[in-house]
Amino acid sequence: MSEAVPWAPGELEGLAFAASALAPFFLEDPATGRAASSFAAMAALSVDEAADQWPFAAPDEVRPALARMQEGLAAGTGDEALAREYRRLFVGPQALPAPPWGSVYTDRDSIMFGESTLALRAWMRAHGVARTSDARTPEDHIGLMLALAAYVAEVRPELTNELLRDHVLTWAPHYLGLLEEAAAHPFYQGLARLTGATLQGVQATRGLEIVRPRYYR
C-alpha cells in the first residue's frame, strides 16, 4: 500500500474544522441535546460563502447539501418533525434504517461491538487515545468517529492517515449513502450528502488507498 501524500498547509485544520462541525449533528438530539449553538450556526450561515470555503469538497457539491440542511432548520430546532427524524435515524426504539455504527456493516453478524469496533478500540488504546463515550456506546458511531478525526488532526496529526484509512473510510461512505436514502427530512439528507462528499474529498486529496471490507448490510 502506497504512502499518502504529505499534508498541505491548512489541510489538517480543514479536516478538524469539518469533522468537528459535522459531528454534533449525528450525536445530539436537535430538541433536547447539547448542540443548540451548532444548529443555530448552520441555520444562520451564508450557503454560498460557506460552500466556497468548505474544505475538501467542491462548492457545487457543498452548496445543495447546505441548502437542504438549512431548509430542514427553517422551522427551528424545536420542530417536532426534525426531532422525530433524528430519533428515527439514530435512537429508536424501532429498528434503525441505517445504523450509525461501523461494525453493523462490516461484521458478518451485523452487530454492534463487532470486530471492527474492537480493532478501533485496540488502536486507540495502543496510541493512548482516550474514549469520550461511556462503555455502553460503541466507539465506531459515526459522530464519535468524526469527533475523533477532529481531535487526531489537531492533537495527534501523525495518526490521522491511519485513522482515516483503517477505521473511518472503510465503512463511513457506504453508511452515509444508506443514510441519505433512508432520511425523510431535508436536514439529514443534506447532512449525509455533505459528510459523504467531505470524506470522499479527504480520501482523494490525501491519496489514501482503502481496502474495502465486505458489507453485510
Side-chain angles (χ1 to χ4, degrees):
M1 183 176 295
S2 63
E3 291 297 319
V5 298
W7 289 96
E11 285 185 346
L12 282 166
E13 292 82 356
L15 174 60
F17 162 77
S20 62
L22 295 168
F25 299 129
F26 291 97
L27 291 168
E28 300 292 344
D29 187 305
T32 62
R34 299 167 294 179
S37 60
S38 295
F39 283 98
M42 176 59 64
L45 61 74
S46 165
V47 167
D48 287 335
E49 291 181 8
D52 288 338
Q53 297 173 9
W54 192 265
F56 298 107
D60 287 347
E61 293 181 292
V62 175
R63 191 173 292 108
L66 288 175
R68 291 293 281 167
M69 293 176 74
Q70 280 202 334
E71 177 187 344
L73 294 175
T77 55
D79 177 39
E80 180 60 29
L82 178 67
R84 186 167 56 246
E85 181 69 347
Y86 176 83
R87 295 159 195 167
R88 184 181 76 87
L89 293 173
F90 298 102
V91 181
Q94 303 301 320
L96 304 184
W101 303 281
S103 69
V104 172
Y105 304 97
T106 60
D107 192 282
R108 181 180 300 275
D109 296 318
S110 295
I111 57 173
M112 296 164 59
F113 292 105
E115 290 183 7
S116 62
T117 314
L118 300 180
L120 173 63
R121 181 177 294 177
W123 181 88
M124 294 172 66
R125 186 181 303 114
H127 293 291
V129 178
R131 61 181 297 147
T132 58
S133 59
D134 60 70
R136 296 172 296 177
T137 303
E139 292 91 332
D140 60 346
H141 184 288
I142 184 63
L144 294 176
M145 294 293 278
L146 289 168
L148 177 59
Y151 167 81
V152 168
E154 290 181 328
V155 180
R156 302 288 301 276
E158 73 280 5
L159 301 177
T160 307
N161 286 339
E162 189 176 345
L163 174 65
L164 294 171
R165 184 190 64 220
D166 297 342
H167 301 286
V168 180
L169 293 170
T170 49
W171 69 275
H174 173 75
Y175 156 71
L176 291 164
L178 296 178
L179 177 64
E180 185 175 356
E181 292 178 3
H185 192 283
F187 180 82
Y188 293 105
Q189 293 168 352
L191 176 62
R193 187 178 305 177
L194 177 59
T195 308
T198 303
L199 290 178
Q200 289 168 2
V202 170
Q203 179 184 341
T205 301
R206 300 295 306 121
L208 296 173
E209 296 183 8
I210 310 302
V211 178
R212 306 285 183 196
R214 176 178 176 182
Y215 300 125
Y216 292 93
R217 62 174 294 169

